[in-house]
Amino acid sequence: MSTSPDILQDFGSLANVRIGLSAEVRAQGVHALNRLLAHTMAIRDAYKKAHWQTSGATFHQLHLLFDKHYGEQVLIMDAIAERVQTLGGVTFALAQDVVDESSIARAPRGRESALAQLSRLLDAHETILLEARPLARAAAEMGDDGSNDLIVSQVVRSNELQSWFIGEHLAAQSGKAQ
């Protein structure tokens, strides 16, 4: 238990919630979803950085696209965090959590070209998708239909669509099809 009287629930512990899933299934779901949450926080931040620092001939359309995708990632992030709480877990919430957990590459501090921004975002989407699909299957196999539905309907579908948009912009920027 926590050494601080202000901590209501230690990270890594499970609250006793009655949602028809065993503690083992809920613990596995919390771990998997927190990893997806860290990735989602990382890509959200990458989109905001790109939004603030985009430049060039496609500035306006990329500026708007990056902000739109940022907002969509915020919604996904919130849905994942709520699912973690529903399972009785404690969510990642801090920048250090993202650094410790996500394998999405951090962008440099400097301003990048539109091509570099688009490529970095496309790589980030692929990281999320490569991890999300097996996690969705595992959730389904364990009977965690709520987590499976969230991962498939929000994480996978949204990241696939955003990846497609980014890939199309990347193809236009580089002058070749993806």
Coordinates of all heavy atoms in Angstrom, one line a residue, residues 72-121:
E72 N -8.4 14.4 -32.4 CA -8.9 13.0 -32.5 C -8.1 12.1 -31.6 O -8.7 11.3 -30.9 CB -8.9 12.5 -33.9 CG -9.9 13.2 -34.8 CD -9.7 12.9 -36.3 OE1 -8.7 12.3 -36.7 OE2 -10.6 13.4 -37.1
Q73 N -6.8 12.4 -31.5 CA -6.0 11.6 -30.6 C -6.3 11.9 -29.1 O -6.3 11.0 -28.3 CB -4.5 11.8 -30.9 CG -4.0 11.2 -32.2 CD -4.1 9.6 -32.2 OE1 -4.0 9.0 -31.2 NE2 -4.4 9.1 -33.4
V74 N -6.7 13.1 -28.8 CA -7.1 13.5 -27.4 C -8.4 12.6 -27.1 O -8.5 12.1 -25.9 CB -7.4 15.0 -27.3 CG1 -8.1 15.3 -26.0 CG2 -6.1 15.7 -27.4
L75 N -9.3 12.5 -28.0 CA -10.5 11.7 -27.7 C -10.2 10.3 -27.5 O -10.8 9.6 -26.6 CB -11.5 11.9 -28.9 CG -12.1 13.3 -29.0 CD1 -13.0 13.4 -30.3 CD2 -12.8 13.8 -27.8
I76 N -9.3 9.7 -28.3 CA -8.9 8.3 -28.1 C -8.2 8.1 -26.8 O -8.5 7.2 -26.1 CB -7.9 7.9 -29.3 CG1 -8.6 7.9 -30.6 CG2 -7.3 6.5 -29.0 CD1 -7.7 7.8 -31.8
M77 N -7.3 9.1 -26.5 CA -6.6 9.0 -25.2 C -7.6 9.0 -24.0 O -7.5 8.2 -23.1 CB -5.7 10.3 -25.1 CG -4.7 10.3 -24.1 SD -3.6 11.7 -24.2 CE -4.7 12.9 -23.5
D78 N -8.6 9.8 -24.1 CA -9.6 9.9 -23.0 C -10.4 8.6 -22.9 O -10.6 8.1 -21.8 CB -10.5 11.1 -23.2 CG -11.4 11.4 -22.0 OD1 -10.8 11.5 -20.9 OD2 -12.6 11.5 -22.1
A79 N -10.7 8.0 -24.0 CA -11.5 6.7 -24.1 C -10.6 5.6 -23.5 O -11.1 4.8 -22.7 CB -11.9 6.4 -25.5
I80 N -9.3 5.6 -23.8 CA -8.5 4.5 -23.3 C -8.3 4.7 -21.7 O -8.4 3.7 -21.0 CB -7.1 4.6 -23.9 CG1 -7.1 4.2 -25.4 CG2 -6.1 3.6 -23.2 CD1 -5.9 4.5 -26.2
A81 N -8.1 6.0 -21.3 CA -8.0 6.2 -19.9 C -9.2 5.8 -19.1 O -9.1 5.2 -18.0 CB -7.6 7.7 -19.6
E82 N -10.4 6.1 -19.7 CA -11.6 5.7 -19.0 C -11.8 4.2 -18.9 O -12.2 3.7 -17.9 CB -12.8 6.4 -19.7 CG -12.9 7.9 -19.5 CD -14.0 8.6 -20.2 OE1 -14.6 7.9 -21.1 OE2 -14.2 9.8 -20.0
R83 N -11.3 3.5 -19.9 CA -11.4 2.1 -19.9 C -10.5 1.5 -18.8 O -10.8 0.5 -18.1 CB -11.1 1.4 -21.3 CG -11.2 -0.1 -21.3 CD -12.6 -0.5 -21.1 NE -12.6 -2.0 -21.0 CZ -13.7 -2.7 -20.6 NH1 -14.8 -2.0 -20.3 NH2 -13.7 -4.0 -20.5
V84 N -9.3 2.1 -18.7 CA -8.3 1.6 -17.7 C -9.0 1.8 -16.3 O -8.9 0.9 -15.5 CB -7.0 2.4 -17.8 CG1 -6.1 2.2 -16.5 CG2 -6.2 2.0 -19.0
Q85 N -9.6 2.9 -16.1 CA -10.3 3.2 -14.8 C -11.5 2.2 -14.6 O -11.7 1.7 -13.5 CB -10.8 4.6 -14.7 CG -9.7 5.7 -14.8 CD -8.7 5.7 -13.6 OE1 -7.5 5.6 -13.7 NE2 -9.3 5.8 -12.4
T86 N -12.2 1.9 -15.7 CA -13.3 1.0 -15.6 C -12.9 -0.4 -15.2 O -13.5 -1.1 -14.5 CB -14.1 0.9 -17.0 OG1 -14.6 2.2 -17.3 CG2 -15.2 -0.1 -17.0
L87 N -11.7 -0.8 -15.7 CA -11.1 -2.1 -15.3 C -10.5 -2.1 -13.9 O -10.1 -3.1 -13.4 CB -10.0 -2.5 -16.3 CG -10.5 -2.8 -17.7 CD1 -9.3 -2.9 -18.7 CD2 -11.4 -4.0 -17.8
G88 N -10.5 -0.9 -13.2 CA -10.0 -0.9 -11.9 C -8.6 -0.4 -11.7 O -8.0 -0.5 -10.7
G89 N -8.0 0.0 -12.8 CA -6.6 0.4 -12.9 C -6.4 1.8 -12.7 O -7.3 2.6 -12.5
V90 N -5.1 2.2 -12.7 CA -4.7 3.6 -12.6 C -4.0 3.9 -14.0 O -3.1 3.2 -14.4 CB -3.8 3.9 -11.4 CG1 -3.3 5.3 -11.4 CG2 -4.5 3.5 -10.1
T91 N -4.4 5.0 -14.6 CA -3.8 5.4 -15.9 C -2.5 6.1 -15.8 O -2.2 6.8 -14.8 CB -4.8 6.3 -16.6 OG1 -4.9 7.5 -15.9 CG2 -6.1 5.7 -16.9
F92 N -1.7 5.9 -16.9 CA -0.6 6.8 -17.1 C -1.1 8.2 -17.3 O -2.2 8.4 -17.8 CB 0.2 6.4 -18.4 CG 1.0 5.2 -18.3 CD1 1.2 4.4 -19.3 CD2 1.7 4.9 -17.1 CE1 2.0 3.2 -19.3 CE2 2.6 3.8 -17.0 CZ 2.7 3.0 -18.1
A93 N -0.4 9.2 -16.8 CA -0.9 10.6 -17.0 C 0.2 11.6 -17.2 O -0.1 12.8 -17.4 CB -1.8 11.0 -15.8
L94 N 1.4 11.3 -17.1 CA 2.5 12.2 -17.1 C 3.5 12.0 -18.2 O 3.6 10.9 -18.7 CB 3.3 12.2 -15.7 CG 2.4 12.4 -14.5 CD1 3.2 12.1 -13.2 CD2 1.9 13.8 -14.5
A95 N 4.2 13.1 -18.6 CA 5.1 13.0 -19.7 C 6.2 11.9 -19.4 O 6.5 11.2 -20.4 CB 5.8 14.3 -19.9
Q96 N 6.6 11.7 -18.2 CA 7.6 10.7 -17.9 C 7.0 9.3 -18.2 O 7.8 8.4 -18.6 CB 8.1 10.8 -16.5 CG 9.3 9.9 -16.2 CD 10.5 10.3 -17.0 OE1 10.9 11.4 -17.2 NE2 11.1 9.2 -17.6
D97 N 5.7 9.1 -18.0 CA 5.1 7.8 -18.3 C 5.3 7.5 -19.8 O 5.5 6.4 -20.2 CB 3.6 7.9 -18.0 CG 3.3 8.1 -16.5 OD1 4.2 7.6 -15.7 OD2 2.3 8.6 -16.2
V98 N 5.1 8.5 -20.6 CA 5.2 8.4 -22.1 C 6.7 8.0 -22.4 O 6.9 7.1 -23.1 CB 4.8 9.6 -22.8 CG1 5.1 9.5 -24.3 CG2 3.3 9.9 -22.6
V99 N 7.6 8.7 -21.8 CA 9.0 8.5 -22.1 C 9.4 7.0 -21.7 O 10.1 6.3 -22.4 CB 9.9 9.5 -21.3 CG1 11.4 9.1 -21.3 CG2 9.7 10.9 -21.9
D100 N 8.9 6.6 -20.5 CA 9.2 5.3 -20.0 C 8.6 4.1 -20.8 O 9.1 3.1 -20.9 CB 8.8 5.2 -18.5 CG 9.7 6.0 -17.6 OD1 10.7 6.5 -18.0 OD2 9.2 6.3 -16.4
E101 N 7.4 4.4 -21.3 CA 6.6 3.3 -21.8 C 6.5 3.2 -23.4 O 6.4 2.2 -23.9 CB 5.2 3.3 -21.3 CG 4.3 2.1 -21.6 CD 4.8 0.8 -20.9 OE1 5.5 0.9 -19.9 OE2 4.5 -0.3 -21.5
S102 N 6.5 4.4 -24.0 CA 6.2 4.4 -25.5 C 7.5 4.2 -26.3 O 8.5 4.7 -25.9 CB 5.5 5.7 -25.9 OG 5.3 5.6 -27.3
S103 N 7.4 3.4 -27.3 CA 8.5 3.2 -28.2 C 8.5 4.1 -29.4 O 9.3 4.0 -30.3 CB 8.6 1.8 -28.7 OG 7.4 1.4 -29.4
I104 N 7.5 5.0 -29.4 CA 7.4 6.0 -30.5 C 8.6 7.0 -30.4 O 8.8 7.5 -29.4 CB 6.1 6.7 -30.5 CG1 5.0 5.7 -30.9 CG2 6.1 7.9 -31.4 CD1 3.6 6.3 -30.9
A105 N 9.3 7.2 -31.5 CA 10.5 8.0 -31.5 C 10.1 9.5 -31.2 O 9.1 10.0 -31.8 CB 11.2 7.9 -32.9
R106 N 10.9 10.1 -30.4 CA 10.7 11.5 -30.1 C 11.3 12.4 -31.2 O 12.4 12.1 -31.7 CB 11.4 11.8 -28.8 CG 11.2 13.2 -28.3 CD 11.9 13.4 -26.9 NE 11.9 14.9 -26.7 CZ 12.9 15.5 -26.2 NH1 14.0 14.8 -25.8 NH2 12.8 16.8 -26.0
A107 N 10.5 13.4 -31.5 CA 11.0 14.3 -32.6 C 12.1 15.2 -32.0 O 12.1 15.5 -30.8 CB 9.8 15.2 -33.0
P108 N 12.9 15.7 -32.9 CA 13.9 16.7 -32.4 C 13.3 18.0 -32.0 O 12.1 18.2 -32.4 CB 14.8 16.9 -33.6 CG 14.0 16.5 -34.8 CD 13.0 15.5 -34.3
R109 N 14.0 18.7 -31.2 CA 13.4 20.0 -30.7 C 13.2 21.0 -31.8 O 12.4 21.9 -31.8 CB 14.2 20.6 -29.6 CG 14.1 19.9 -28.3 CD 14.8 20.6 -27.2 NE 14.5 20.0 -25.9 CZ 15.1 20.2 -24.8 NH1 16.1 21.1 -24.8 NH2 14.8 19.6 -23.7
G110 N 14.1 20.9 -32.8 CA 14.1 21.9 -33.9 C 12.9 21.7 -34.9 O 12.2 20.7 -34.8
R111 N 12.7 22.7 -35.7 CA 11.7 22.6 -36.7 C 12.1 21.7 -37.9 O 13.2 21.8 -38.4 CB 11.4 24.0 -37.3 CG 10.3 24.1 -38.3 CD 10.2 25.5 -38.8 NE 9.0 26.1 -38.3 CZ 8.6 27.3 -38.6 NH1 9.3 28.1 -39.3 NH2 7.4 27.7 -38.1
E112 N 11.2 20.8 -38.2 CA 11.5 19.8 -39.2 C 10.8 20.2 -40.5 O 9.8 20.9 -40.5 CB 11.0 18.4 -38.8 CG 11.7 17.8 -37.7 CD 11.1 16.4 -37.3 OE1 10.0 16.4 -36.8 OE2 11.8 15.4 -37.6
S113 N 11.2 19.6 -41.6 CA 10.5 19.8 -42.9 C 9.2 19.1 -42.8 O 9.0 18.2 -42.0 CB 11.4 19.2 -44.0 OG 11.4 17.8 -43.9
A114 N 8.3 19.4 -43.7 CA 7.0 18.8 -43.8 C 7.2 17.3 -44.0 O 6.5 16.4 -43.5 CB 6.1 19.4 -44.8
L115 N 8.1 16.9 -44.9 CA 8.4 15.5 -45.2 C 8.8 14.8 -44.0 O 8.4 13.6 -43.7 CB 9.5 15.4 -46.3 CG 9.1 15.6 -47.7 CD1 10.3 15.5 -48.6 CD2 8.1 14.5 -48.1
A116 N 9.7 15.3 -43.2 CA 10.2 14.7 -41.9 C 9.0 14.5 -40.9 O 8.9 13.5 -40.3 CB 11.3 15.4 -41.3
Q117 N 8.2 15.6 -40.8 CA 7.0 15.5 -39.9 C 6.1 14.4 -40.3 O 5.6 13.6 -39.5 CB 6.3 16.8 -39.9 CG 7.0 18.0 -39.2 CD 6.3 19.3 -39.4 OE1 5.7 19.6 -40.5 NE2 6.3 20.1 -38.4
L118 N 5.8 14.4 -41.6 CA 4.8 13.4 -42.1 C 5.4 11.9 -41.9 O 4.7 11.0 -41.5 CB 4.5 13.6 -43.6 CG 3.7 14.9 -43.8 CD1 3.7 15.3 -45.3 CD2 2.2 14.7 -43.4
S119 N 6.6 11.8 -42.2 CA 7.3 10.4 -42.1 C 7.3 10.0 -40.6 O 7.0 8.8 -40.3 CB 8.7 10.5 -42.6 OG 8.7 10.7 -44.0
R120 N 7.6 10.9 -39.7 CA 7.6 10.6 -38.3 C 6.2 10.2 -37.8 O 6.0 9.2 -37.1 CB 8.1 11.8 -37.5 CG 8.3 11.5 -36.0 CD 8.9 12.7 -35.3 NE 10.1 13.2 -35.9 CZ 11.3 12.5 -35.8 NH1 11.4 11.4 -35.2 NH2 12.4 13.0 -36.4
L121 N 5.2 10.9 -38.3 CA 3.8 10.6 -37.9 C 3.4 9.3 -38.5 O 2.7 8.5 -37.8 CB 2.9 11.7 -38.3 CG 3.0 13.0 -37.5 CD1 2.4 14.2 -38.2 CD2 2.5 12.8 -36.1

